[in-house]
Amino acid sequence: MDKEERKTINQGQEDEMEIYGYNLCRWKLAIVSLGVVCTGGFLLLLLYWMPEWRVKATCIRAAIKDCEVVLLRTTDEFRMWFCAKIRFLSLETHPFLSPKSMTNKVANGHAVHFTENLATENRHEMSKYSQTQPQQIRYFTHHSVKYFWNDTLHNFDFLKGLDEGVSCTSIYEKHSAGLTKGMHAYRKLLYGVNEITVKVPSVFKLLIKEVLNPFYIFQLFSVILWSTDEYYYYALAIVIMSIVSIVSSLYSIRKQYVMLHDMVAAHSTVRVSVCRANGEIEEIFSTDLVPGDVMVIPLNGTVMPCDAVLINGTCIVNESMLTGESVPVTKTNLPNPSVDIKGMGDEFYSPEIHKRHTLFCGTTVIQTRFYTGELVKAVVVRTGFSTSKGQLVRSILYPKPTDFKLYRDAYLFLLCLVAVAGIGFIYTIINSILNKVEIRVIIIESLDIITITVPPALPAAMTAGIVYAQRRLKKIGIFCISPQRINICGQLNLVCFDKTGTLTEDGLDLWGIQRVENTRFLLPEENVCNEVLVKSQFVACMATCHSLTKIEGVLSGDPLDLKMFEAIGWILEEATEEETALHNRIMPTVVRPPKQLLPESTHAGNQEMELFELPAIYEIGIVRQFPFSSALQRMSVVARVLGDKKMDAYMKGAPEIIASLCKPETVPTDFEKVLEDYTKQGFRVIALAHRKLESKLTWHKVQNISRDVIENNMDFMGLIIMQNKLKQETPGVLEDLHKANIRTVMVTGDNMLTAVSVARDCGMILPQDKVIIAEALPPKDGKVAKINWHYADTLTQCSNSSAIDSEAIPIKLVHNSLENLQVTRYHFAMNGKSFSVILEHFQDLAPKLMLHGTVFARMAPDQKTQLIEALQNVDYFVGMCGDGANDCGALKRAHGGISLSELEASVASPFTSKTPSISCVPNLIREGRAALMTSFCVFKFMALYSIIQYFSVTLLYSILSNLGDFQFLFIDLAIILVVVFTMSLNPAWKELVAQRPPSGLISGALLFSVLSQIIICIGFQSLGFFWVKQQSWYEVWHPQSDACNTRSLYGNSSYLDNETKPDTHNIQNYENTTVFFISSFQYLIVAIAFSKGKPFRQPCYKNYFFVVSVIILYVFILLIMLHPVASIDQVLQIVCVPYQWRITMLMIVLVNALVSIMVENFFLDMVLWKVVFNRDKQGEYRFTTTQPPQASVDRWGKCCLSWALGCRKKIPKAKYMYLAQELLVDPEWPPKPQTTTEAKALVKENGSCQIITIT
């Protein structure tokens, strides 16, 4: 039972894997060794390529607990196999591990967290695990992560730092003092060196790895075979090609390794100061840091060598390396729940949740702030590859394979070619035996047919188009770190856009403010910088509630905060190091109004003294800052006016959130209406609130207080209205995408109505389209989750549901007839909370909402990623365009993520645009489509090339002949390579079109194209081959043959040579010459036929290199065919044929060209291509039942172009298309206004839901 066990590691995570245990088996090893010897090493290669076979062939199953080797398999769709050897970490040579129980606990994998007092805890555990060897820990390494055996879990688990299962309280109580030297050494032994090592493999290692690629092994086999058959020139040419390919591949791979190594190693080792448990400060190398160390952050800043949580002081950090966002971020110390006044429940620390308190590895600390001479300290939580930077480097070092239909189909196609080669192989053997050919020749010729069918230049040819596309993208300022994704971008049919900084201008302009007095809104005010308001709480909140800082004398921070602060015209001053050292409780940051505003503002005062005192003393100090959190959608500060006894709390953020945290009596009754009026006009609205804090709150208590204590019971003060202008190019780009039938979706952190307004302004939602707001509420007080449906235009109207205006409900059917079923457009809008509830409680409804969801507002970064996944789950090819700040996850997850960051080095997304404009999106899709069509063209051409050559050789084998060495050389080098590398140069078509290229090779049109050209080429080759035998002058060729009646054409010496040394391969004959000329032209004919231009690429006549190459080749072949040159004929082993037959061959070639071009460019384009491209306009808005959509044609293609399938109704393969067809006939869809959908309480597994209309 134990031996057959299967465990799972990293459960529920992206890198989840199944794990199996094995032990080495000597008798199996002996049999395999014998097999390796017998197969001449081929079995060894096979086992090298297949880790699963390697382990199963040499090992037997064992319990994971006692195994020597582990076999790992990923649980994703790729099901990839890896194997790793079990190693032992020995502890007996380390005297510092004094408590024996400690080693015992480690041996059993219990040192996963360091939250408790280890010495006492381990005494308790000792008896429990006494059966294992206390001096050794079992572990294995996979993808730079160590997995230790954990006896509690009975499984391997990676060693976690302080980032999981550690409470905020314990970080202060148990980890803030630092480690003893013994404990530090003990942890270092387990965690290893704190460095992200990117080892640059030696050239020799890379060479071996590259040469052992199955493709190069096949080439080596081909070369050996050709050499034995004396095809030395061709073998040499292939060797040279392979060497060039290997060298260029080695150069690019090594260059990538070196670049990554340099990027990681730039700041990998620095000297850092750490606090020890005895209070000493020790200076060590950053490579010696372990989780639990307390690191002192230097005043002048540093590059973080690990992930650490701040427990003392404040840091200003540049996180552009991780996020692509160059705006400095303020990091504050982690709240300490133990000194919290309310005594709230203890919270577990998480780097994601507490990222505003976490300093991430690789980010740059620009400067630090501290109080009363205390040091700025941070507790190390993760080191090495476990850090955020380490995980990023791991994702680059070990990328997930790109799953794209094109590549899967390419392997399928190669298998088909291998099958064809197998037929030729059998035919050759049988034919040779019947003709009594010697065994050596039979073996060589039958194996040769395999090397002919599978083209050796295929991989190089396939990557050429992508390389050219990457070069063109670079010219227009789009940088790509994942070239394989360019092809996938050609399939994008939905693009998600962030709003601020992507669709709209990055900066916001202050439009005005609307204050509240006596729970009523005053009239909007445009100018905030005036004497009347200078001492108001409203302006004080604008002056203090921000995260601005001075870096080298220049104010920097969030653009919105900058605009707000500039609008009031105040001055920000930060304390110098000297001042901090002098005073006990110095305010780190002080803001004050300019002097010219104050004298006038004091005229209202009764006492004359104020005239002179106020300008000098009116300053506000910022005591504590709670940074903006996108999850909480707010920020707050604790501040004190100089001289006041009580402190003030100020808060700003999303109006709905702020209003909910204020006293209800301070919020105006028309708050929602006023907010809606602004948001509908597309304004960005921010609410402000304030309250006086109790006098018992001292400076020290405020430093450790939780933000929840401050952020409640506030007084609502009013609204700041910011204007966010659309970028000039936004409407035009979105219109181009809509014309190309590419859906656009807005995903933003802003207010929903603002987002809907911007969506209407930019043309994402057309004026006549309806917007349905889905407001989902989670289960509460025993009631099930429900969704309330509102129509955006009638959101505030109190309509009677029994008499709903029929105009308010989108009419679905435009025509009663099913001939042209059309749907009027409607859009769903929802916020992040509703989106999460729908994903959790309405799994059946989520895909339907994905089909029409256009506006997703108030979305947190992780919700953006979930949205991308939800759209991909209904088979959309999703693009994501964002500014890189909080879109990292979504940019990585999308099929094509484009970051509009100016930083070229941003590794957050596959594509980075240097120009911060969404005009890069259509450019990328155009280039993607061009690259995809180029891949199809090249693949079709290479398939035809191998089949034409295969058929030529098969025909010649029937008369025991073959193509000559130089004939092969001319075809493969002069024709094929030149054509392949020039036909890939067609640039992208200048505009996006409504059609989309097929996603795979196994589609109706492409299969028909290839099969029709194969039949045409085989037909005309056969015609030439058999017709030449019918000629009156024909005879079996021998050296004395003279069909041209001119013995002087070849020199007499050559005849003598031929007589003395006969042509053993029987190359020179009339059939060979005929087949050679016809097939040479056929390669060029199919190249022209397949080199398609519009609608995805520029026409081939604009590809000058291709045109010139083809013309030169045509002229050359025509010349040697119509006007023979003796020396060329001799080299190519061509025999002389009568002029009349040369004209006949020319006629065969011309008719072949005419038929090929007609079939490919007229019949295929006019009939089949239109069927293939009859797609839904928007995926869900239009379906014609008379013609099949693309997915059905793919199926139809796989069924050998069965016309019957084209005539009957089909179910589309893409889920979103199938859903769209279903929804067309669903009378309950879209939901009607003022109705509610409830989740069924009993059936939670499948997320079923029912619609209940509330009347």
Side-chain angles (χ1 to χ4, degrees), residues 185-236:
Y186 152 68
R187 289 192 187 179
K188 193 183 170 194
L189 182 71
L190 282 170
Y191 283 101
V193 178
N194 170 39
E195 61 180 350
I196 302 165
T197 46
V198 178
K199 289 178 182 168
V200 181
S202 66
V203 175
F204 179 72
K205 263 189 183 177
L206 279 175
L207 181 68
I208 295 297
K209 196 176 177 183
E210 191 70 17
V211 167
L212 292 181
N213 182 309
F215 168 68
Y216 288 120
I217 296 297
F218 177 70
Q219 281 200 335
L220 181 68
F221 162 73
S222 304
V223 166
I224 293 166
L225 187 71
W226 293 326
S227 301
T228 56
D229 204 16
E230 297 173 12
Y231 287 3
Y232 298 122
Y233 294 107
Y234 186 50
L236 184 66

Side-chain angles (χ1 to χ4, degrees), residues 35 265 269 300 313 357 635 644 648 759 773 836 865 922 1054 1095 1170 1244 1247:
T269 310
N300 53 351
H357 314 292
M635 80 162 289
D644 274 16
D648 298 275
I773 291 175
S836 294
T865 310
S1054 85
K1170 286 190 176 179
K1244 278 192 178 174

Side-chain angles (χ1 to χ4, degrees), residues 427 431 435 952-961 1020-1037 1043 1066 1069-1075 1078 1137-1138 1141 1144-1145 1148:
Y427 163 78
N431 183 59
N435 286 288
S952 302
V953 171
T954 308
L955 283 175
L956 294 173
Y957 274 4
S958 69
I959 58 160
L960 304 181
S961 178
F1020 282 100
Q1021 258 196 64
S1022 304
L1023 177 70
F1025 181 80
F1026 293 112
W1027 198 1
V1028 72
K1029 292 183 177 184
Q1030 308 303 318
Q1031 301 305 308
S1032 56
W1033 47 265
Y1034 175 81
E1035 63 177 336
V1036 176
W1037 192 89
N1066 186 26
N1069 53 59
Y1070 300 120
E1071 291 93 334
N1072 170 290
T1073 301
T1074 303
V1075 166
I1078 292 174
V1137 292
W1141 181 244
T1144 307
M1145 282 196 291
I1148 291 171

Side-chain angles (χ1 to χ4, degrees), residues 423-660:
I423 296 165
F425 179 78
I426 294 162
Y427 163 78
T428 308
I429 292 173
I430 294 167
N431 183 59
S432 301
I433 290 169
L434 291 174
N435 286 288
K436 296 177 181 172
V437 177
E438 61 177 283
I439 290 183
R440 180 180 172 275
V441 176
I442 292 176
I443 293 168
I444 289 172
E445 288 194 342
S446 55
L447 289 174
D448 195 27
I449 203 97
I450 295 172
T451 66
I452 286 164
T453 318
V454 183
L458 184 63
M462 288 291 283
T463 53
I466 295 172
V467 170
Y468 295 145
Q470 192 175 2
R471 200 180 296 165
R472 287 195 297 269
L473 283 171
K474 197 169 183 179
K475 279 182 186 171
I476 55 173
I478 300 171
F479 298 92
C480 172
I481 61 164
S482 179
Q484 294 300 327
R485 292 217 190 201
I486 296 174
N487 268 346
I488 302 174
C489 286
Q491 278 294 308
L492 295 183
N493 53 2
L494 184 149
V495 184
C496 295
F497 291 97
D498 183 33
K499 183 178 77 72
T500 313
T502 305
L503 296 172
T504 59
E505 294 289 352
D506 206 3
L508 290 160
D509 296 320
L510 188 80
W511 180 84
I513 63 166
Q514 192 156 7
R515 293 184 297 135
V516 170
E517 270 185 21
N518 304 322
T519 69
R520 282 170 176 265
F521 277 114
L522 303 177
L523 290 172
E525 298 163 79
E526 197 177 326
N527 184 17
V528 196
C529 185
N530 61 47
E531 302 134 15
V532 181
L533 296 176
V534 72
K535 285 177 66 186
S536 67
Q537 297 288 10
F538 193 96
V539 168
C541 182
M542 290 177 74
T544 56
C545 200
H546 53 70
S547 55
L548 299 177
T549 184
K550 276 195 172 173
I551 295 170
E552 293 174 4
V554 180
L555 260 187
S556 65
D558 186 270
L560 186 145
D561 287 348
L562 270 171
K563 283 279 179 192
M564 193 177 74
F565 193 74
E566 284 166 7
I568 56 170
W570 281 40
I571 297 153
L572 181 136
E573 287 179 354
E574 291 179 336
T576 60
E577 289 172 32
E578 293 79 19
E579 288 174 319
T580 310
L582 281 172
H583 301 281
N584 273 346
R585 293 180 182 174
I586 184 72
M587 304 293 184
T589 304
V590 171
V591 290
R592 55 182 175 79
K595 287 181 182 175
Q596 61 266 30
L597 284 180
L598 280 170
E600 291 82 11
S601 69
T602 57
H603 288 330
N606 295 329
Q607 299 176 19
E608 275 191 8
M609 282 297 287
E610 279 184 15
L611 282 169
F612 305 99
E613 288 175 5
L614 271 172
I617 64 161
Y618 193 67
E619 289 181 353
I620 305 175
I622 301 167
V623 179
R624 176 84 196 273
Q625 187 187 94
F626 299 101
F628 176 78
S629 158
S630 50
L632 299 174
Q633 297 175 15
R634 63 180 184 267
M635 80 162 289
S636 57
V637 292
V638 177
R640 182 159 66 181
V641 176
L642 216 61
D644 274 16
K645 288 181 181 174
K646 289 184 180 180
M647 296 189 192
D648 298 275
Y650 296 106
M651 179 167 66
K652 79 163 196 279
E656 310 93 312
I657 305 292
I658 301 297
S660 69

Side-chain angles (χ1 to χ4, degrees), residues 2 12 15 21 56 125 213 251 285 298 381 410 438 520 573 580 620 638 884 961 974 1054 1147 1229 1245:
D2 249 355
D15 53 353
K56 287 181 178 177
E125 300 283 346
N213 182 309
Y251 174 75
F285 282 109
V381 290
E438 61 177 283
R520 282 170 176 265
E573 287 179 354
T580 310
I620 305 175
V638 177
S961 178
S1054 85
M1147 295 309 295
W1229 198 263
E1245 304 86 55

